[in-house]
Amino acid sequence: MLLLTLVRHAKSSWDNPALADFDRPLNARGERDAPRMAQHVRRALGIPDRVVSSPALRALTTARVFAETLALPASRFEQALRIYEASAERLLTLVQGLDDDDRHVMLFGHNPGFTDLAHRLARCSFDDMPTCAVVQIGFDTKTWADVAERSGAQRFYAYPKQFRDKT
């Protein structure tokens, strides 16, 4: 079985309108949510074989928080520019090109592409992935090249609001 975990970047800041979209950092909520979700993911899903992140600052920062929490070696962490602003079709092509030695891959990126991809790959229990949401989809296949629309099953879904203090 192959496992694909999609993580939408944590909440980003819009405080500086002069910044390019690519360069937007996390805001305070994003900085709080990313480590909490990373801890939950570590307990629930374990450590992936590979992490691939959009290089946009908000996604890359989120991915680095997860990688640190997961104690992921740097050799198993990479960036892929084609994740930034990618459509579901483009993301599916990226997934189909993953290394078959990596049985569990965690991708960090953006909406609407991530939500659209999740819905193309499996029947999902959610309409839209909020910031820092995590969905894992499992595939009964031996190669990433065989991943196709509706070929997966949702195995896990979580988002930060589930874990916020109710105070």
Side-chain angles (χ1 to χ4, degrees):
M1 174 169 280
L2 298 175
L3 300 172
L4 177 66
T5 302
L6 302 175
V7 183
R8 183 176 174 204
H9 64 78
K11 188 74 173 169
S12 60
S13 174
W14 292 89
D15 288 347
N16 184 349
L19 276 181
D21 178 70
F22 192 86
D23 298 322
R24 286 189 296 114
L26 297 183
N27 69 11
R29 189 172 98 195
E31 289 174 357
R32 181 190 67 224
D33 287 346
R36 288 180 181 173
M37 289 301 294
Q39 285 290 341
H40 181 69
V41 165
R42 181 181 177 117
R43 287 189 301 273
L45 303 179
I47 299 169
D49 298 312
R50 178 148 322 271
V51 164
V52 184
S53 178
S54 160
L57 183 58
R58 61 196 181 275
L60 189 57
T61 303
T62 304
R64 285 180 174 150
V65 168
F66 273 69
E68 182 178 319
T69 301
L70 299 169
L72 191 77
S75 62
R76 292 169 39 194
F77 186 102
E78 63 187 71
Q79 297 177 47
L81 181 59
R82 58 192 176 146
I83 294 175
Y84 180 66
E85 295 187 335
S87 65
E89 292 86 0
R90 190 169 174 189
L91 291 167
L92 178 56
T93 299
L94 181 144
V95 168
Q96 291 168 332
L98 292 171
D99 187 328
D100 292 331
D101 288 336
D102 297 326
R103 310 307 287 167
H104 178 192
V105 176
M106 191 175 284
L107 298 182
F108 289 79
H110 316 270
N111 264 354
F114 269 40
T115 294
D116 293 346
L117 177 64
H119 284 279
R120 283 179 184 235
L121 294 176
R123 291 180 183 239
C124 295
S125 63
F126 56 89
D127 293 325
D128 187 56
M129 290 177 71
T131 52
C132 216
V134 179
V135 61
Q136 185 177 80
I137 300 170
F139 303 93
D140 260 344
T141 183
K142 293 184 179 171
T143 69
W144 289 106
D146 292 334
V147 171
E149 291 192 25
R150 296 286 188 228
S151 65
Q154 179 184 320
R155 297 172 45 96
F156 176 86
Y157 176 65
Y159 54 96
K161 199 171 186 180
Q162 292 174 299
F163 305 104
R164 288 202 188 112
D165 295 335
K166 304 287 186 198
T167 57

